[in-house]
Amino acid sequence: MSTTDRVQSAERRLWRAYEPIHAICYFHPHFAATMNETGLTGWWNGYFAGRAAPLGPTPSQVVTSLFYGFSPAMVDRAVPKIWTRVSPEAAIEARFDAAETVLAEHADAGSLDDLHRVTDGLERAIDALPFDGRALASAWHSVRRPDSILQRLWLAATILREHRGDGHVIAATANGLTGLEASITHIASGQVSRRIIQENRGWTDEQWQIAHLALRERGILADDDSLTTRGTALRDRIEDLTDQLAAPSVHALNDAAGTIDVLTSLARLLVDRGAVPVPNPIGVPRP
């Protein structure tokens, strides 16, 4: 499957539509401010607490495994310390409160009926999904659905995002990549810079160089740090398998095309108004 065909697949179009809705929690300052109000300061502390909260006070090794691309040392600095300063339940509520505020700021009043209908459909689809091997998605699926439609929408986008993310980890590990190696091949594809990824994932220069050399020895990276033909084929296999594993998300929707259209309209507003910057460290595109 070519890159163009893959971008136009229903699975990928759905991802591009819901990912910015979820990703406001990483980029809009109101999320960090709301987490600070719980007593948990420090952006990365808030990130790990907010994303890992449904797992409960899980050891750092588990969070490192599920988050995949972060250095163990970076996770160790936050987990489990964060749970001495905020409860998982408070971290979840802080995310819900922030999602309500941010989405209310950007969702047009006239679109609320469409968002309500789409959210109902997303929730029905999510309840029909298989969660085998999807620990992070399953954890978020276990969270009680709030009453607010905008909070419900954010939660649905989050579950779908983590469901696809868990599948992406499965695809990458099945193709023999560690979290760091997957990040390096992502950089080699030209979609993000080393500076952004290394700073945001906590890897040392020595760790980076060891993984980089291993990828060269396997014929995945060329001398100029671009992907070789073999490396490009590897990335394509991973992306194709990620889409295949995400296919149930589309198949479970009664109106996939209509759902994508409604979510895309909101997602574009979030990007165009700066709630989610593009480009960004996690590769969220403008739909």
Side-chain angles (χ1 to χ4, degrees):
M1 181 183 292
S2 70
T3 300
T4 301
D5 290 337
R6 183 165 52 253
V7 169
Q8 296 301 321
S9 70
E11 295 83 10
R12 191 152 294 256
R13 285 189 291 115
L14 178 61
W15 166 68
R16 291 170 71 104
Y18 66 65
E19 181 76 1
I21 297 170
H22 162 77
I24 56 175
C25 65
Y26 306 130
F27 301 110
H28 198 286
H30 190 67
F31 279 81
T34 303
M35 194 66 75
N36 285 343
E37 292 173 2
T38 70
L40 183 63
T41 57
W43 193 93
W44 282 110
N45 286 332
Y47 168 85
F48 285 109
R51 191 176 175 205
L55 298 168
T58 308
S60 62
Q61 294 93 329
V62 176
V63 176
T64 299
S65 173
L66 296 178
F67 285 21
Y68 190 55
F70 289 87
S71 74
M74 185 174 183
V75 181
D76 285 344
R77 286 193 291 271
V79 181
K81 175 190 67 179
I82 50 177
W83 304 126
T84 67
R85 297 163 60 185
V86 66
S87 69
E89 294 78 14
I92 292 170
E93 287 305 313
R95 273 197 160 188
F96 280 157
D97 289 345
E100 174 82 21
T101 299
V102 175
L103 291 179
E105 177 184 347
H106 295 284
D108 294 332
S111 67
L112 288 180
D113 286 344
D114 286 338
L115 291 177
H116 203 301
R117 172 178 54 79
V118 163
T119 300
D120 286 343
L122 289 174
E123 290 174 343
R124 287 192 297 270
I126 286 168
D127 288 342
L129 288 179
F131 282 86
D132 307 80
R134 314 291 181 105
L136 196 51
S138 182
W140 275 103
H141 189 217
S142 73
V143 172
R144 182 190 64 81
R145 285 173 182 159
D147 295 327
S148 159
I149 186 60
L150 294 178
Q151 291 180 4
R152 284 170 52 202
L153 173 61
W154 182 84
L155 177 59
T158 296
I159 295 169
L160 287 173
R161 191 268 188 164
E162 299 296 10
H163 191 275
R164 181 183 176 90
D166 286 343
H168 188 64
V169 172
I170 292 169
T173 55
N175 279 277
L177 294 181
T178 66
L180 174 53
E181 289 171 343
S183 296
I184 293 174
T185 62
H186 181 51
I187 292 165
S189 69
Q191 299 178 55
V192 68
S193 71
R194 170 179 172 174
R195 179 187 63 80
I196 290 176
I197 291 296
Q198 189 170 2
E199 287 180 0
N200 283 275
R201 299 295 184 265
W203 299 102
T204 66
D205 288 339
E206 181 181 6
Q207 291 169 326
W208 196 276
Q209 188 59 33
I210 291 171
H212 193 276
L213 180 60
L215 290 170
R216 280 194 177 185
E217 290 176 345
R218 290 164 58 187
I220 294 171
L221 291 183
D223 291 341
D224 64 355
D225 295 340
S226 64
L227 291 172
T228 62
T229 301
R230 181 177 180 180
T232 299
L234 172 66
R235 288 294 310 185
D236 285 349
R237 285 198 304 274
I238 291 171
E239 295 302 326
D240 288 342
L241 182 53
T242 300
D243 278 351
Q244 292 171 25
L245 293 171
S249 299
V250 176
H251 297 160
L253 289 170
N254 290 332
D255 180 14
T259 297
I260 291 170
D261 285 346
V262 171
L263 295 179
T264 295
S265 294
L266 176 57
R268 283 177 178 163
L269 287 176
L270 293 171
V271 171
D272 292 345
R273 294 176 180 176
V276 177
V278 174
N280 51 72
I282 61 175
V284 180
R286 182 185 186 276

